[in-house]
Amino acid sequence: AFVVLGLFLTGIFFTPLFTRDRTEAMLDRLASCGVGSVKFYRWKLVLTAGFRVLLAIAAAAVLTRFGLAALSISTVWWIFPAAAYCALISACLTVCFGDGVTAAAAFGLGGLFLIGGVLPRQMLPDWLTAIGDLSPFGAAEAWLAPVFGGKPDLLPLLASLVWAAIAILLLVRSTRGTRPFGKRNAAF
């Protein structure tokens, strides 16, 4: 749970990457070059996901040394979709709320509570842990479960695909929303 929290909170470091160049003038210049929302965010997401992959592998390697994780060739592949998912959700929070720090902190601490990172899961009601498992934070934890000796749960993994689709739609919509008065290019 705390590795997932770390992956989400690293979005704070990338707040300027996702917010600074979203001005109307910049988007107009990009649109004139044929750069749409997908091209605009693609390399930013790849960069931030790559950073998270390295961070998660390092954390899992250290925790494996202490017997708290089971990092191996077969489990390391689960880190890649987890990092990409966390990068996408963090980017969406940053772009949609404009303040990556507040959104990431509130989202991270709320998710940590719902999945049993603050209080043990046994002390939480079943309905609350079910909500936590299907939350974006719980879905990210499901991707990393094999790295820490758990089994991937299909329902949270499917929920992560739904959350990812929503995040993509919000990113595209927020890019369009920064261009007022209907001056939208078909590329966006």
Side-chain angles (χ1 to χ4, degrees):
F2 286 97
V3 172
V4 173
L5 178 65
L7 293 180
F8 277 116
L9 289 181
T10 56
I12 294 169
F13 301 130
F14 300 108
T15 299
L17 178 67
F18 286 99
T19 58
R20 255 200 206 134
D21 55 355
R22 291 183 62 244
T23 63
E24 182 180 350
M26 177 63 82
L27 293 176
D28 284 341
R29 282 188 292 242
L30 290 172
S32 70
C33 295
V35 175
S37 297
V38 174
K39 286 183 182 178
F40 181 70
Y41 287 116
R42 179 179 39 208
W43 290 110
K44 295 175 185 211
L45 291 170
V46 168
L47 171 74
T48 58
F51 177 77
R52 284 176 171 90
V53 165
L54 295 175
L55 185 67
I57 289 174
V62 168
L63 293 171
T64 298
R65 195 101 167 112
F66 293 104
L68 299 172
L71 185 64
S72 67
I73 298 296
S74 63
T75 61
V76 76
W77 296 109
W78 288 93
I79 291 175
F80 289 94
Y85 175 74
C86 289
L88 180 62
I89 298 297
S90 293
C92 181
L93 287 171
T94 300
V95 169
C96 291
F97 291 103
D99 176 19
V101 177
T102 305
F107 179 78
L109 293 176
L112 191 64
F113 174 76
L114 288 173
I115 64 168
V118 176
L119 294 173
R121 287 180 69 92
Q122 298 81 2
M123 294 179 70
L124 298 173
D126 290 339
W127 62 269
L128 191 61
T129 58
I131 291 172
D133 289 342
L134 298 178
S135 72
F137 199 93
E141 186 187 38
W143 283 108
L144 288 177
V147 178
F148 294 95
K151 294 181 181 175
D153 191 8
L154 184 60
L155 197 56
L157 293 177
L158 292 175
S160 74
L161 298 177
V162 172
W163 288 117
I166 291 170
I168 290 169
L169 290 173
L170 288 173
L171 283 173
V172 169
R173 186 169 179 82
S174 72
T175 304
R176 289 181 183 161
T178 58
R179 307 184 73 219
F181 309 115
K183 296 185 340 186
R184 295 187 177 108
N185 188 320
F188 281 94

